[in-house]
Amino acid sequence: MVTPRESALTDRFLIPAIAEIEQALLSLRVETDQALGRDGARRYGKPYPLGYCWEISQDVAERLRKRLARPVGPGERAISAFLRNGGSGRHLWGALREKYFQNAFQFGGLYIDVANDTVDVKKPKIEILPVQESGFAEIEDVPHFARIAGSYWGMRIYANHALPSLAPAFPMIGINPEGHVRLQSGSQSMFERLCGDGFQRSEQWLAEGQAPPAALVEALRARCPSHLLAENPVTGQAAALAACQALRAEGAATGPEWRKAMLATYRAIDLIPVVERG
């Protein structure tokens, strides 16, 4: 959504300086590539910058934040003037043209992607478009995420019936083409969306999504810490649904400590490489 006020500020400060803004962001991206690209590990079997959308976006954003404290060039000054006069900027994460996940930014009425080449290295590093022409959409629900993950990552997505205590916040189990397994999704945006509706979206997916094969459940649980298995003595759809209902009744998703603990558990599991058997 772009308010009339944001649209007016965009026309006043950003549109006249689009070329200069692009050049300023490109110079920051060069610095980012020097910092991240030198030791960037291969993602999905592909070299940097492929698969580095999040890291590049965050690095450029931090560099821009520091530059805006003392803007020098015309591009930096234009962004600074836009923000000083009430314009807003925010991080975006969602589906781009229904083909792949993408991290980007919205400044007023502009969609700004500073990691435009992380899917196709032949594309320009920076893309700036009017929001309504960008083809960007926030992820609507779990099936939407699963659909993009399937087409973009080649993942098979199942309902998380293996670890019911984590199923409300991480309702999916994904398997990539190499057979590696991980809970989905670690995206902060997706996590907040699932928590924000009292796990209604999660519960619907856990009820309707494809159940994981028994061999997959066994492989995933075989690599989990003992304390997590103790919290999940029972597997299956009924237990996963009950976990959503119980948390909704308790209002646990509103607690920052609960959210912090859930994300910490997810990250601990995500560090364990699991390969599907059978």
Side-chain angles (χ1 to χ4, degrees):
M1 297 292 293
V2 182
T3 66
R5 183 168 184 271
E6 290 270 345
S7 180
L9 289 170
T10 302
D11 290 341
R12 179 183 174 188
F13 294 105
L14 302 182
I15 296 299
I18 279 187
E20 291 80 4
I21 291 171
E22 182 176 358
Q23 188 58 45
L25 295 174
L26 184 59
S27 69
L28 295 178
R29 176 60 198 276
V30 170
E31 294 178 8
T32 293
D33 288 342
Q34 292 173 345
L36 300 182
R38 188 179 304 110
D39 299 318
R42 296 174 71 88
R43 293 279 173 84
Y44 311 111
K46 300 176 181 179
Y48 179 91
L50 297 173
Y52 275 81
C53 177
W54 166 259
E55 291 85 352
I56 289 173
S57 296
Q58 294 305 301
D59 191 84
V60 171
E62 179 59 21
R63 293 175 188 277
L64 177 62
R65 185 188 67 78
K66 293 178 180 178
R67 289 282 186 92
L68 292 180
R70 292 185 177 181
V72 178
E76 296 169 10
R77 289 197 295 268
I79 297 174
S80 178
F82 169 78
L83 296 173
R84 285 199 321 272
N85 282 272
S88 64
R90 69 185 183 111
H91 171 254
L92 299 175
W93 175 83
L96 187 62
R97 304 179 187 106
E98 286 299 301
K99 292 182 178 180
Y100 43 83
F101 297 116
Q102 189 71 354
N103 289 275
F105 300 95
Q106 180 180 347
F107 283 82
L110 294 181
Y111 167 90
I112 299 180
D113 183 356
V114 298
N116 190 50
D117 59 337
T118 55
V119 174
D120 182 352
V121 294
K122 296 179 182 179
K123 290 185 176 182
K125 294 178 183 291
I126 310 295
E127 182 175 62
I128 303 177
L129 294 169
V131 170
Q132 64 270 23
E133 296 177 15
S134 66
F136 178 87
E138 293 185 313
I139 299 296
E140 300 169 2
D141 49 29
V142 181
H144 189 191
F145 179 97
R147 186 167 66 250
I148 302 301
S151 62
Y152 180 31
W153 293 331
M155 274 191 172
R156 287 175 286 150
I157 303 291
Y158 298 97
N160 178 12
H161 298 165
L163 297 167
S165 71
L166 298 180
F170 308 105
M172 296 170 281
I173 301 174
I175 310 172
N176 69 16
E178 289 74 40
H180 295 278
V181 180
R182 67 188 301 185
L183 296 182
Q184 294 289 350
S185 155
S187 158
Q188 185 73 27
S189 299
M190 194 69 180
F191 178 79
E192 293 296 336
R193 173 158 293 196
L194 295 177
C195 292
D197 75 346
F199 309 112
Q200 298 282 359
R201 290 181 176 89
S202 294
E203 186 174 354
Q204 183 175 358
W205 169 260
L206 292 165
E208 300 174 0
Q210 185 176 355
L216 171 58
V217 173
E218 180 182 350
L220 180 60
R221 288 175 65 87
R223 302 299 295 272
C224 286
S226 59
H227 71 85
L228 185 57
L229 295 180
E231 294 172 8
N232 292 273
V234 178
T235 64
Q237 182 189 74
L241 297 177
C244 292
Q245 295 159 7
L247 285 175
R248 185 160 59 246
E250 296 170 7
T254 61
E257 291 304 317
W258 178 88
R259 294 187 182 209
K260 182 179 179 180
M262 290 293 282
L263 287 169
T265 301
Y266 166 82
R267 294 183 183 115
I269 295 175
D270 199 42
L271 294 174
I272 303 173
V274 181
V275 179
E276 180 185 15
R277 299 181 176 86

